[in-house]
Amino acid sequence: MQGLVPTATDGNMATEFHNLQELRHSASLANKVFIQRDYSEGTTCKFQTKFPSELESRIERTLFEDTVKTLNNYYAEAEKIGGQSYLEGCLACATAYLIFLCMETRYEKVLKKIAKYIQEQNEKIYAPRGLLITDPIERGMRVIEISIYEDRGSSGSSSGSSSVSGSTAR
Amino acid sequence: MMKNCEYQQIDPRALSVSPSSAQNHLEKKEQRPRRKWEVFPGKNRFFCDGRIMLARQSGVLPLTLGLIVVTCGLFFAFDCPFLVEHLTIFIPVIGGMLFVFVVISLLRTSFTDPGILPRATPDEAADIEKQIDTSGSSTYRPPPRTKEILINQQVVKLKYCFTCKMFRPPRTSHCSLCDNCVERFDHHCPWVGNCVGKRNYRFFYSFIISLSFLTSFIFGCVITHITLRSQVVKSLVQAIQESPASVVELVICFFSIWSILGLSGFHTYLVASNLTTNEDIKGSWSSKRGAEESGNPYSYNSIITNCCVTLCGPMPPSLIDRRGFLPPDEAIPAASASEIELPLFAAKNDTHMCTQSTKDVLERMVNSSDFHGLCPPCTPKTTPLGPEVFSTPAPSSEPSPSTGCSQQHDRQPVAAPCPVFSRSSKRDSLHSINPAFRLASPSPSLSRASLILGDAPDIGFIPLS
């Protein structure tokens, strides 16, 4: 697999598209699945782990649930209220919030980790199955958007083989 | 260069944009890459290339700043020399520190994104519409689009926002003045010229608390000054004549102190019970039982925890990414156009920054097919591809948001900012329900006129306090 070209922050999609291009020359978007937020525990960021029916033929349930659970854990870590966040808050207040101009908040650090994780998941698991996860931050943290790509014409057979090789490589 | 190689690899049938038009786009992009704030659909103004944002109506922010600066200026110029001489040097020092803190908090409140939620992409909106259709009755749309969920074993209703085309997360409200959904919406404050929401509530709170201290401090110092001076000259009238600026400061401080102290007290109560002004005014939780804590599902049932979470909690990032660049068309596969910016990019030609809507998306497809005039092989494949993907939203939503946008301008005289500092904002919000009732009409499509009645309670979210 070619190394991915890191593009601008909103270029996650572009990066993954380059990746897909290498796998299938004529991939086209067939459908999109949206994983909604789970508000049962309040306004903290958490996504539903319910397995959407459109993905049943594309990916194993456990893989999908693992991805969503890991993402939920990352977000819980970002929004965790505890000693460190209070310290950050009090320090910010004491400096009249000017410290936010030079310091990266913990939330932003975790968001970077999430972006990397999603990229890695796309590379290893989702792209070989013709799927693409969009980072929720690009959708206002409302949904996890999973794009389903279909092969066109002759590359249908290659999609079968590549998904097999993808699962064995796993 | 790499991009050129990829264009040859890519099957042109798979893309809606032809290579030659993509190159046009590339040239265009190289000439002037556009940032997302330039196509932002809400009513906000951006400065410093997207770093600073304000509501379109800056309200009385200049007045607020002016009052603070003038009062402090008079204080430092006329009262401090006397007080330094007779009391202590710390008076201007403390005054200076408070003044700096107040101004910084005010500017941060005004210029920070309050927690605006970006509008749903067309695909998302289509997906939600599909879900609503399948779950509700198929003959007609159920009037109020609400979804009930359980939060901490309590039933909470989520409302559908017709402008932003999504179900609002809990505690989110749509501000008609800014035309945005704002997370943990507190109120739209004309004094700071911005909404107060999740991301800038702590700045707002610091502002009003420090302003309370500042006005009390100046008030106390001025009284001390006049008292001491009148002891020196043995006559109150003469003391006042010698220092007329002090009277001006007294008057300003006296009138502000009541409102600001009242507001500080009110917001301290809100912080301690983890409520927003919006929820408190609507009485969302108090109808359950006597004590708000048991009714409010977001409260941690401990005053200290509530305070810490609201004021010292983690700072969430801005979701609208104002300074990000608009993605170039060629990077987007097929006719997905899932990025919020693309339909808006085309819609900008309409001289209207509207929410993305099916109309905008279809317009974009038309524009794309104009580009395809340059490359005939692409045309037959792509134009059918467009309606294919957007067949779901096409019948469901009409080009209402564009009319919605033009009607938004009509909203402005209706939703005039009300004074902040009064509980009579309750009355105002009830008032706002009626004029705001008209606000419901632009967002839904014209065919959904029957739904407007159902949307009226939807609009209570704008306490113009």
Side-chain angles (χ1 to χ4, degrees), chain B residues 324-392:
Chain B
F325 285 102
L326 289 176
D329 281 341
E330 61 266 27
I332 307 297
S336 60
S338 56
E339 298 293 317
I340 197 173
E341 301 78 24
L342 276 175
L344 295 171
F345 187 69
K348 192 161 195 256
N349 299 332
D350 291 338
T351 70
H352 233 307
M353 234 56 91
C354 296
T355 66
Q356 82 256 327
S357 63
T358 317
K359 185 187 175 199
D360 297 332
V361 167
L362 289 175
E363 273 173 2
R364 187 201 146 273
M365 293 310 302
V366 167
N367 289 339
S368 302
S369 49
D370 286 340
F371 292 139
H372 295 143
L374 303 169
C375 183
C378 302
T379 320
K381 198 59 192 176
T382 53
T383 31
L385 202 55
E388 224 171 75
V389 175
F390 298 103
S391 58
T392 324

Side-chain angles (χ1 to χ4, degrees), chain B residues 393-431:
Chain B
S396 53
S397 58
E398 262 93 16
S400 48
S402 50
T403 58
C405 283
S406 52
Q407 289 194 32
Q408 280 156 17
H409 292 300
D410 300 333
R411 281 186 209 171
Q412 293 189 13
V414 165
C418 297
V420 180
F421 307 131
S422 56
R423 291 302 300 261
S424 66
S425 50
K426 196 170 200 151
R427 258 183 287 126
D428 292 330
S429 68
L430 288 176
H431 265 295

